[in-house]
mmCIF file of all heavy atoms in Angstrom:
data_model
loop_
_atom_site.group_PDB
_atom_site.id
_atom_site.type_symbol
_atom_site.label_atom_id
_atom_site.label_comp_id
_atom_site.label_asym_id
_atom_site.label_seq_id
_atom_site.Cartn_x
_atom_site.Cartn_y
_atom_site.Cartn_z
ATOM 1 N N SER C 20 78.330 -79.670 16.413
ATOM 2 C CA SER C 20 79.684 -79.164 16.647
ATOM 3 C C SER C 20 79.783 -77.684 16.290
ATOM 4 O O SER C 20 80.750 -77.021 16.645
ATOM 5 C CB SER C 20 80.710 -79.968 15.843
ATOM 6 O OG SER C 20 80.452 -79.835 14.457
ATOM 7 N N VAL C 21 78.759 -77.181 15.606
ATOM 8 C CA VAL C 21 78.725 -75.771 15.215
ATOM 9 C C VAL C 21 77.478 -75.149 15.822
ATOM 10 O O VAL C 21 76.368 -75.430 15.394
ATOM 11 C CB VAL C 21 78.682 -75.631 13.676
ATOM 12 C CG1 VAL C 21 78.649 -74.173 13.283
ATOM 13 C CG2 VAL C 21 79.846 -76.352 13.028
ATOM 14 N N SER C 22 77.689 -74.345 16.850
ATOM 15 C CA SER C 22 76.555 -73.715 17.505
ATOM 16 C C SER C 22 76.960 -72.354 18.025
ATOM 17 O O SER C 22 78.034 -72.191 18.589
ATOM 18 C CB SER C 22 76.064 -74.579 18.669
ATOM 19 O OG SER C 22 75.090 -73.874 19.399
ATOM 20 N N GLY C 23 76.081 -71.388 17.844
ATOM 21 C CA GLY C 23 76.319 -70.057 18.380
ATOM 22 C C GLY C 23 75.830 -69.938 19.814
ATOM 23 O O GLY C 23 75.975 -68.893 20.433
ATOM 24 N N SER C 24 75.296 -71.030 20.346
ATOM 25 C CA SER C 24 74.711 -71.010 21.679
ATOM 26 C C SER C 24 75.645 -71.652 22.701
ATOM 27 O O SER C 24 75.921 -72.853 22.631
ATOM 28 C CB SER C 24 73.380 -71.761 21.662
ATOM 29 O OG SER C 24 72.924 -71.976 22.972
ATOM 30 N N LEU C 25 76.117 -70.864 23.633
ATOM 31 C CA LEU C 25 76.957 -71.387 24.703
ATOM 32 C C LEU C 25 76.173 -72.364 25.558
ATOM 33 O O LEU C 25 76.704 -73.389 26.008
ATOM 34 C CB LEU C 25 77.499 -70.236 25.558
ATOM 35 C CG LEU C 25 78.414 -70.631 26.709
ATOM 36 C CD1 LEU C 25 79.642 -71.381 26.201
ATOM 37 C CD2 LEU C 25 78.838 -69.395 27.483
ATOM 38 N N GLU C 26 74.890 -72.089 25.769
ATOM 39 C CA GLU C 26 74.039 -72.972 26.564
ATOM 40 C C GLU C 26 73.941 -74.359 25.928
ATOM 41 O O GLU C 26 74.023 -75.376 26.622
ATOM 42 C CB GLU C 26 72.646 -72.365 26.713
ATOM 43 C CG GLU C 26 71.748 -73.117 27.657
ATOM 44 C CD GLU C 26 72.206 -73.050 29.107
ATOM 45 O OE1 GLU C 26 72.902 -72.088 29.495
ATOM 46 O OE2 GLU C 26 71.881 -73.995 29.855
ATOM 47 N N MET C 27 73.782 -74.421 24.611
ATOM 48 C CA MET C 27 73.701 -75.702 23.917
ATOM 49 C C MET C 27 75.004 -76.471 24.093
ATOM 50 O O MET C 27 75.004 -77.674 24.362
ATOM 51 C CB MET C 27 73.400 -75.509 22.431
ATOM 52 C CG MET C 27 73.239 -76.815 21.670
ATOM 53 S SD MET C 27 72.991 -76.603 19.897
ATOM 54 C CE MET C 27 71.427 -75.771 19.864
ATOM 55 N N LYS C 28 76.121 -75.787 23.957
ATOM 56 C CA LYS C 28 77.436 -76.408 24.110
ATOM 57 C C LYS C 28 77.594 -76.973 25.528
ATOM 58 O O LYS C 28 78.061 -78.101 25.707
ATOM 59 C CB LYS C 28 78.529 -75.376 23.807
ATOM 60 C CG LYS C 28 79.932 -75.858 24.028
ATOM 61 C CD LYS C 28 80.381 -76.757 22.905
ATOM 62 C CE LYS C 28 81.870 -77.050 23.057
ATOM 63 N NZ LYS C 28 82.165 -78.464 22.983
ATOM 64 N N LYS C 29 77.195 -76.208 26.541
ATOM 65 C CA LYS C 29 77.283 -76.678 27.927
ATOM 66 C C LYS C 29 76.413 -77.910 28.154
ATOM 67 O O LYS C 29 76.817 -78.847 28.845
ATOM 68 C CB LYS C 29 76.857 -75.573 28.896
ATOM 69 C CG LYS C 29 77.875 -74.475 29.057
ATOM 70 C CD LYS C 29 77.360 -73.437 30.043
ATOM 71 C CE LYS C 29 78.347 -72.316 30.236
ATOM 72 N NZ LYS C 29 77.843 -71.305 31.189
ATOM 73 N N ARG C 30 75.233 -77.907 27.583
ATOM 74 C CA ARG C 30 74.328 -79.047 27.736
ATOM 75 C C ARG C 30 74.912 -80.297 27.086
ATOM 76 O O ARG C 30 74.850 -81.388 27.658
ATOM 77 C CB ARG C 30 72.961 -78.721 27.136
ATOM 78 C CG ARG C 30 72.192 -77.714 27.956
ATOM 79 C CD ARG C 30 70.874 -77.331 27.328
ATOM 80 N NE ARG C 30 70.096 -76.509 28.243
ATOM 81 C CZ ARG C 30 68.806 -76.292 28.125
ATOM 82 N NH1 ARG C 30 68.130 -76.809 27.114
ATOM 83 N NH2 ARG C 30 68.182 -75.548 29.007
ATOM 84 N N GLN C 31 75.453 -80.131 25.892
ATOM 85 C CA GLN C 31 76.075 -81.261 25.198
ATOM 86 C C GLN C 31 77.244 -81.804 26.022
ATOM 87 O O GLN C 31 77.367 -83.024 26.201
ATOM 88 C CB GLN C 31 76.545 -80.834 23.803
ATOM 89 C CG GLN C 31 75.405 -80.506 22.883
ATOM 90 C CD GLN C 31 75.809 -79.901 21.545
ATOM 91 O OE1 GLN C 31 74.994 -79.860 20.654
ATOM 92 N NE2 GLN C 31 77.023 -79.420 21.377
ATOM 93 N N ASP C 32 78.087 -80.915 26.512
ATOM 94 C CA ASP C 32 79.240 -81.323 27.310
ATOM 95 C C ASP C 32 78.807 -82.047 28.584
ATOM 96 O O ASP C 32 79.440 -83.014 29.004
ATOM 97 C CB ASP C 32 80.122 -80.122 27.655
ATOM 98 C CG ASP C 32 80.859 -79.557 26.449
ATOM 99 O OD1 ASP C 32 80.915 -80.236 25.397
ATOM 100 O OD2 ASP C 32 81.383 -78.427 26.562
ATOM 101 N N ARG C 33 77.736 -81.584 29.204
ATOM 102 C CA ARG C 33 77.236 -82.205 30.440
ATOM 103 C C ARG C 33 76.799 -83.642 30.174
ATOM 104 O O ARG C 33 77.117 -84.551 30.940
ATOM 105 C CB ARG C 33 76.076 -81.375 30.994
ATOM 106 C CG ARG C 33 75.278 -82.043 32.077
ATOM 107 C CD ARG C 33 75.901 -81.909 33.438
ATOM 108 N NE ARG C 33 74.958 -82.373 34.451
ATOM 109 C CZ ARG C 33 75.279 -83.127 35.475
ATOM 110 N NH1 ARG C 33 76.533 -83.454 35.680
ATOM 111 N NH2 ARG C 33 74.376 -83.511 36.333
ATOM 112 N N ILE C 34 76.059 -83.857 29.098
ATOM 113 C CA ILE C 34 75.600 -85.211 28.763
ATOM 114 C C ILE C 34 76.788 -86.132 28.523
ATOM 115 O O ILE C 34 76.860 -87.237 29.071
ATOM 116 C CB ILE C 34 74.662 -85.192 27.540
ATOM 117 C CG1 ILE C 34 73.344 -84.520 27.912
ATOM 118 C CG2 ILE C 34 74.421 -86.609 27.015
ATOM 119 C CD1 ILE C 34 72.430 -84.251 26.729
ATOM 120 N N ILE C 35 77.736 -85.671 27.737
ATOM 121 C CA ILE C 35 78.920 -86.480 27.416
ATOM 122 C C ILE C 35 79.709 -86.783 28.686
ATOM 123 O O ILE C 35 80.167 -87.911 28.895
ATOM 124 C CB ILE C 35 79.780 -85.762 26.362
ATOM 125 C CG1 ILE C 35 79.032 -85.730 25.024
ATOM 126 C CG2 ILE C 35 81.138 -86.440 26.209
ATOM 127 C CD1 ILE C 35 79.600 -84.760 24.009
ATOM 128 N N SER C 36 79.859 -85.796 29.555
ATOM 129 C CA SER C 36 80.589 -85.975 30.805
ATOM 130 C C SER C 36 79.934 -87.021 31.696
ATOM 131 O O SER C 36 80.605 -87.903 32.246
ATOM 132 C CB SER C 36 80.688 -84.638 31.534
ATOM 133 O OG SER C 36 81.262 -84.790 32.801
ATOM 134 N N VAL C 37 78.617 -86.948 31.852
ATOM 135 C CA VAL C 37 77.899 -87.901 32.702
ATOM 136 C C VAL C 37 77.996 -89.310 32.129
ATOM 137 O O VAL C 37 78.300 -90.268 32.854
ATOM 138 C CB VAL C 37 76.423 -87.485 32.890
ATOM 139 C CG1 VAL C 37 75.613 -88.602 33.544
ATOM 140 C CG2 VAL C 37 76.339 -86.208 33.717
ATOM 141 N N LEU C 38 77.751 -89.453 30.840
ATOM 142 C CA LEU C 38 77.814 -90.788 30.225
ATOM 143 C C LEU C 38 79.215 -91.382 30.358
ATOM 144 O O LEU C 38 79.364 -92.563 30.682
ATOM 145 C CB LEU C 38 77.394 -90.723 28.756
ATOM 146 C CG LEU C 38 75.933 -90.362 28.488
ATOM 147 C CD1 LEU C 38 75.679 -90.262 26.989
ATOM 148 C CD2 LEU C 38 74.974 -91.339 29.138
ATOM 149 N N SER C 39 80.235 -90.566 30.133
ATOM 150 C CA SER C 39 81.622 -91.041 30.251
ATOM 151 C C SER C 39 81.941 -91.438 31.683
ATOM 152 O O SER C 39 82.559 -92.483 31.927
ATOM 153 C CB SER C 39 82.601 -89.964 29.775
ATOM 154 O OG SER C 39 82.435 -89.713 28.404
ATOM 155 N N SER C 40 81.525 -90.612 32.645
ATOM 156 C CA SER C 40 81.847 -90.904 34.051
ATOM 157 C C SER C 40 81.169 -92.171 34.547
ATOM 158 O O SER C 40 81.675 -92.832 35.451
ATOM 159 C CB SER C 40 81.474 -89.724 34.943
ATOM 160 O OG SER C 40 80.084 -89.595 35.057
ATOM 161 N N LYS C 41 80.038 -92.523 33.959
ATOM 162 C CA LYS C 41 79.313 -93.731 34.356
ATOM 163 C C LYS C 41 79.640 -94.925 33.463
ATOM 164 O O LYS C 41 79.004 -95.974 33.560
ATOM 165 C CB LYS C 41 77.810 -93.464 34.360
ATOM 166 C CG LYS C 41 77.406 -92.444 35.422
ATOM 167 C CD LYS C 41 75.920 -92.346 35.556
ATOM 168 C CE LYS C 41 75.516 -91.428 36.681
ATOM 169 N NZ LYS C 41 75.776 -91.975 38.002
ATOM 170 N N ASN C 42 80.641 -94.744 32.584
ATOM 171 C CA ASN C 42 81.067 -95.799 31.666
ATOM 172 C C ASN C 42 79.922 -96.358 30.834
ATOM 173 O O ASN C 42 79.833 -97.561 30.594
ATOM 174 C CB ASN C 42 81.770 -96.932 32.428
ATOM 175 C CG ASN C 42 83.071 -96.472 33.042
ATOM 176 O OD1 ASN C 42 83.841 -95.751 32.413
ATOM 177 N ND2 ASN C 42 83.307 -96.856 34.285
ATOM 178 N N ILE C 43 79.043 -95.467 30.401
ATOM 179 C CA ILE C 43 77.931 -95.858 29.539
ATOM 180 C C ILE C 43 78.375 -95.616 28.089
ATOM 181 O O ILE C 43 78.708 -94.493 27.728
ATOM 182 C CB ILE C 43 76.667 -95.039 29.851
ATOM 183 C CG1 ILE C 43 76.214 -95.317 31.289
ATOM 184 C CG2 ILE C 43 75.554 -95.352 28.858
ATOM 185 C CD1 ILE C 43 75.097 -94.424 31.784
ATOM 186 N N PRO C 44 78.430 -96.676 27.281
ATOM 187 C CA PRO C 44 78.862 -96.488 25.893
ATOM 188 C C PRO C 44 77.876 -95.617 25.124
ATOM 189 O O PRO C 44 76.661 -95.752 25.283
ATOM 190 C CB PRO C 44 78.916 -97.904 25.315
ATOM 191 C CG PRO C 44 78.203 -98.780 26.265
ATOM 192 C CD PRO C 44 78.074 -98.055 27.578
ATOM 193 N N TYR C 45 78.412 -94.727 24.314
ATOM 194 C CA TYR C 45 77.561 -93.835 23.525
ATOM 195 C C TYR C 45 78.240 -93.511 22.206
ATOM 196 O O TYR C 45 79.442 -93.680 22.046
ATOM 197 C CB TYR C 45 77.250 -92.550 24.294
ATOM 198 C CG TYR C 45 78.467 -91.707 24.600
ATOM 199 C CD1 TYR C 45 78.886 -90.712 23.723
ATOM 200 C CD2 TYR C 45 79.201 -91.910 25.762
ATOM 201 C CE1 TYR C 45 80.016 -89.948 24.002
ATOM 202 C CE2 TYR C 45 80.309 -91.153 26.046
ATOM 203 C CZ TYR C 45 80.719 -90.171 25.167
ATOM 204 O OH TYR C 45 81.829 -89.426 25.435
#
């Protein structure tokens, strides 16, 4: 949750978005 890297934040958001959209519990 604490990162100076915008790229890391985008990657994390992408994973969460895909898992949520496919209704995969995480």
Side-chain angles (χ1 to χ4, degrees):
S20 62
V21 180
S22 172
S24 169
L25 181 59
E26 187 67 25
M27 183 184 295
K28 176 77 171 130
K29 286 180 180 180
R30 289 177 172 197
Q31 293 172 165
D32 290 346
R33 167 83 170 137
I34 291 171
I35 292 165
S36 174
V37 169
L38 294 177
S39 295
S40 71
K41 295 189 175 289
N42 294 318
I43 297 172
Y45 63 91

